[in-house]
Amino acid sequence: MMKLSGNDPCPCGSGKKFKRCCMAREGKLHADVQDEVAAILAMNPHLSLADLNVALQHKMADRNNQPHPDFCGVTPTQMANWLYAPFDQLQWLTISTPEHLAASPVMRYLGLMLDEAMAQSGSFNATSKGNLPTKLVKQACALLPEFAVAQCISDLGICEFAGNNEDKFNALHYTRVLAELSGIIYRRSGRYHVKKAAQKQYQAAGIQPFFKPMLAAAVSQYNWAYFDQHPFDVDVGIFWVFMLWRLQHHHSAAELVQEVMTAFPDVLLTIPTDHYFSPEQTLSMIIESRFIERFLQYWGFVTVEPRRYINAEPVARRVHIQPLLQQTFQFTLNR
């Protein structure tokens, strides 16, 4: 029988790694493989074991390279890359650094931090709680009217893009966390320091060199549950490439949630039903808050309409794709 590595795409066609799928459901895997073996032997009863292994490998490869309807036409091989490949090894997707980053809240906030440090020989004081100083928070608040998201906010006093301090200013706090994760800044002895290499990069090329490292940290290292901390494990961040691809097609948060549930139905099993929300409703709120609002909108890739309710039922929210997203992500699927 052919040997599968735990990191191989699962032969069931789910798009997951074997170790995260049928390796844990041996009965299903054995049934599928037995069916394949029976079909091959029925056509070729005198096949040797070596030739049978080769034939099975070809069949599995063919299956993994066929468009999967549950994946909106993406093949299991493509999906496995989107789910598990490192940031710099993603395929069928080109990620570019836009020439102008003024429309990105994250990158503008990072620029403020770097400017403050450069004005003080590479570092600046943190607050007693270890937060960014009040001066920098005020500067970041003042940038809000320059961002597209300002048009989607009805009450600027309680939004994600303004606050009296870093604790009440989620987009700024998120940026500081990413800057630390990506190795641009670090805190020591009550001060935030910009690494020497980062100082040289900033002096030579401005903010552009930090765009991809910050983005890689956002999708690979950052804990997407950081701001809400649901008491169960549901990692929607692993689907970010698939969700981005679909959102570019239809701009609908509701349609995106349905596509995620179709492609990855097991994610609902990790969400318990409670007295207020079904697993489907909870997943919808998680995708909208973690992926659309606190990833894409923080970066300036999209804006999303405010939440509205009619007779206590949520109204479907339209997502508006911003030029920065199209300048950053180009998909190259032939479909």
Side-chain angles (χ1 to χ4, degrees):
M1 193 62 63
M2 73 173 188
K3 299 292 185 181
L4 281 174
S5 163
N7 289 318
D8 287 336
C10 188
C12 77
S14 68
K16 301 178 182 179
K17 288 186 179 182
F18 178 48
K19 66 184 178 184
R20 299 189 183 181
C21 191
C22 286
M23 182 179 282
R25 301 197 300 270
E26 293 183 0
K28 181 182 186 304
L29 176 63
H30 289 166
D32 288 348
V33 173
Q34 286 170 1
D35 288 345
E36 296 284 4
V37 170
I40 293 171
L41 289 178
M43 298 291 293
N44 305 278
H46 304 297
L47 209 60
S48 69
L49 181 59
D51 289 338
L52 177 61
N53 277 333
V54 172
L56 277 172
Q57 288 172 356
H58 284 303
K59 275 194 168 290
M60 295 304 182
D62 287 343
R63 178 187 292 181
N64 285 332
N65 287 294
Q66 291 296 317
H68 198 300
D70 287 352
F71 297 158
C72 302
V74 169
T75 71
T77 295
Q78 291 170 325
M79 185 64 80
N81 175 266
W82 284 1
L83 295 179
Y84 305 115
F87 181 80
D88 59 355
Q89 295 177 29
L90 291 168
Q91 299 177 13
W92 304 284
L93 169 63
T94 300
I95 301 176
S96 306
T97 299
E99 183 177 354
H100 302 290
L101 294 171
S104 170
V106 163
M107 298 310 294
R108 292 292 295 281
Y109 300 153
L110 177 63
L112 292 177
M113 297 178 206
L114 297 179
D115 286 339
E116 183 67 15
M118 298 301 283
Q120 301 184 47
S121 302
S123 69
F124 55 85
N125 279 326
T127 68
S128 59
K129 291 181 62 177
N131 288 335
L132 298 171
T134 302
K135 171 188 173 183
L136 200 151
V137 173
K138 290 180 178 179
Q139 291 174 338
C141 286
L143 293 176
L144 179 56
E146 301 181 31
F147 302 140
V149 69
Q151 307 303 315
C152 300
I153 297 172
S154 57
D155 186 345
L156 301 186
I158 56 172
C159 74
E160 302 279 86
F161 298 86
N164 296 327
N165 54 58
E166 184 187 335
D167 286 340
K168 298 179 180 178
F169 191 161
N170 287 341
L172 179 62
H173 180 61
Y174 170 85
T175 302
R176 193 259 284 176
V177 171
L178 292 188
E180 291 182 278
L181 288 174
S182 55
I184 299 170
I185 68 172
Y186 62 95
R187 182 160 57 96
R188 187 179 66 195
S189 302
R191 293 181 69 84
Y192 280 104
H193 300 259
V194 177
K195 289 190 175 181
K196 296 292 186 183
Q199 292 183 43
K200 292 179 180 178
Q201 285 180 298
Y202 191 52
Q203 289 173 328
I207 204 72
Q208 263 74 12
F210 307 111
F211 180 77
K212 283 190 179 180
M214 290 278 285
L215 188 57
V219 300
S220 304
Q221 297 175 262
Y222 176 73
N223 175 12
W224 285 35
Y226 180 61
F227 284 113
D228 52 56
Q229 296 294 332
H230 282 284
F232 44 83
D233 181 24
V234 51
D235 181 14
V236 298
I238 195 173
F239 312 137
W240 77 272
V241 179
F242 174 74
M243 292 193 294
L244 181 65
W245 176 59
R246 297 312 305 154
L247 200 59
Q248 281 191 336
H249 277 69
H250 50 60
H251 307 181
S252 168
E255 193 168 341
L256 174 64
V257 173
Q258 289 298 319
E259 289 169 339
V260 170
M261 289 191 293
T262 299
F264 312 104
D266 284 356
V267 73
L268 292 176
L269 302 179
T270 66
I271 305 175
T273 300
D274 63 27
H275 296 297
Y276 303 102
F277 303 107
S278 67
E280 292 80 4
Q281 290 172 318
T282 299
L283 179 63
S284 177
M285 290 187 291
I286 288 174
I287 288 175
E288 288 189 24
S289 62
R290 294 183 187 175
F291 175 65
I292 296 176
E293 295 174 4
R294 290 176 168 165
F295 171 51
L296 297 182
Q297 194 163 245
Y298 280 4
W299 279 83
F301 294 140
V302 307
T303 57
V304 59
E305 296 171 350
R307 295 182 187 275
R308 293 188 299 115
Y309 297 86
I310 296 179
N311 297 325
E313 290 296 320
V315 177
R317 304 170 76 191
R318 193 73 178 166
V319 179
H320 302 281
I321 304 298
Q322 298 300 311
L324 200 65
L325 186 145
Q326 297 168 325
Q327 294 161 10
T328 301
F329 303 105
Q330 294 85 39
F331 286 90
T332 54
L333 293 170
N334 295 320
R335 57 183 55 85

